[in-house]
Amino acid sequence: METDKKSTVVVGMSGGVDSSLTAALLIEQGYAVIGVYMKNWSEPIAGVEHCPWVKDQFDARQVAHQLGIPFFTVNFEELYKKQVIDSFFADYSRGRTPNPDVLCNKFIKFEAFYSYARSLGADFIATGHYAQVKDGQILKGLDTNKDQTYFLWAIDKQVLPRILFPLGGMNKSEVRKQAEARGLATAKKRDSQGICFIGQADVHDFIAQELKPKEGNIISSTGEILGTHTGAWFYTLGQRHGLQNLNWPDSCHRPPLYVIATDIRANTVTVGEEKALYNNTLKAESPSWLGDEPKADAKLQAKIRYGQTPAECAIVETSADGLTVRFDQPQRAITPGQSLVLYDGDRLVGGAIIT
């Protein structure tokens, strides 16, 4: 879209190389740029020696100083806890495996942050996401290894005309080179990992802060008790970790075992062979569409987890509450709580939560 090059852009600066280069590129394109660090989490976490926000905020401020732009910190901790973390624990307590990055984008980065940016007089907001916005649609990022559209399906489509993704047409290696060429302080900083804004916390330890261990049985698909576990909510479909030393007949010759089901009420974990994990149909709820709602029988591509190659599928039926999708080929470990994300080629169509 055509833009006034004197427009004001508020950049979400996380303290990483991507958002740092985003700010630099927008300045060079003639925008008036303001940098904002979102403080979303500062509580100590089991297994994490240092909370990352202090270092990240310092790095973001340092880059803003290098670029000569105004810099602010906005505190969204209360909202982040309510909308992201509380939902995260609630889903695990129901036997689901949630994706906090989807919630973070929906409620924090492209709702609360957008509202705050507008209060600063922003015409646009920008982030370092590897995605593209063209003609009011979200398209995949050029770098297929870094494409982040999977996490963007739930944002409000009304915000799309006000979003800039300067890195969408770049590869990660090019981003590093351009950041180094500009002498940005974060040029060689490692990418963040783990839970959105929290960092590389052990998910098991993080869950255990809220959902306490509770011994239950690991069973076969026929109900035989094979061993015990410390809480069904710690397990997800397709998992192999934590299934050692099971009392399985003829264990020397059995195939590998995987989690094929969990029952939170009974606190049981069911295990079986990998072939039991495959299915070609799923149901999902709370759909969100970034354009027109696709019709039943629409041929699309879908991802049921980040990093997956999109698989050919068709929408069987849709309603205000949900949809049913059938894949051309069976998919492994379709996991409740994860996101079903739908594409039409490079265009992000929308998504829903797998039930």
Side-chain angles (χ1 to χ4, degrees), residues 91-198:
D91 271 353
Y92 269 105
S93 72
R94 296 164 59 200
R96 294 189 174 192
T97 304
N99 195 313
D101 293 277
V102 171
L103 295 175
C104 185
N105 282 325
K106 177 179 180 178
F107 293 111
I108 307 300
K109 294 179 182 176
F110 297 98
E111 186 173 294
F113 173 63
Y114 174 73
S115 178
Y116 175 76
R118 296 289 281 177
S119 75
L120 296 179
D123 301 292
F124 301 95
I125 60 171
T127 66
H129 281 88
Y130 286 80
Q132 303 180 76
V133 176
K134 293 182 179 179
D135 301 322
Q137 300 287 335
I138 295 181
L139 305 180
K140 293 178 184 176
L142 177 69
D143 190 332
T144 56
N145 292 321
K146 294 295 292 183
D147 171 55
Q148 292 172 300
T149 53
Y150 179 83
F151 305 111
L152 298 174
W153 66 266
I155 68 176
D156 185 353
K157 65 182 178 181
Q158 302 302 321
V159 181
L160 293 184
R162 298 292 178 179
I163 297 175
L164 302 177
F165 291 137
L167 307 188
M170 300 173 65
N171 288 308
K172 181 69 179 195
S173 58
E174 183 184 356
V175 169
R176 291 279 185 195
K177 289 178 182 178
Q178 291 210 24
E180 289 184 26
R182 290 165 175 77
L184 299 181
T186 56
K188 296 183 179 180
K189 185 176 179 180
R190 294 177 61 183
D191 290 345
S192 60
Q193 302 290 331
I195 302 170
C196 180
F197 281 106
I198 289 178

Side-chain angles (χ1 to χ4, degrees), residues 2 17 44-45 47 62 64 81-82 113 166 175 179 190 192 200 205 207 210 215 228 232 243 282 294 301 323 345:
E2 295 295 323
V17 63
I45 304 167
Q62 188 176 14
K81 183 179 184 304
K82 177 182 177 181
F113 173 63
V175 169
R190 294 177 61 183
S192 60
Q200 202 163 6
D205 291 343
I207 297 170
E210 184 74 18
E215 186 172 291
T228 60
L243 302 179
L282 67 76
Q301 302 83 47
L323 67 158

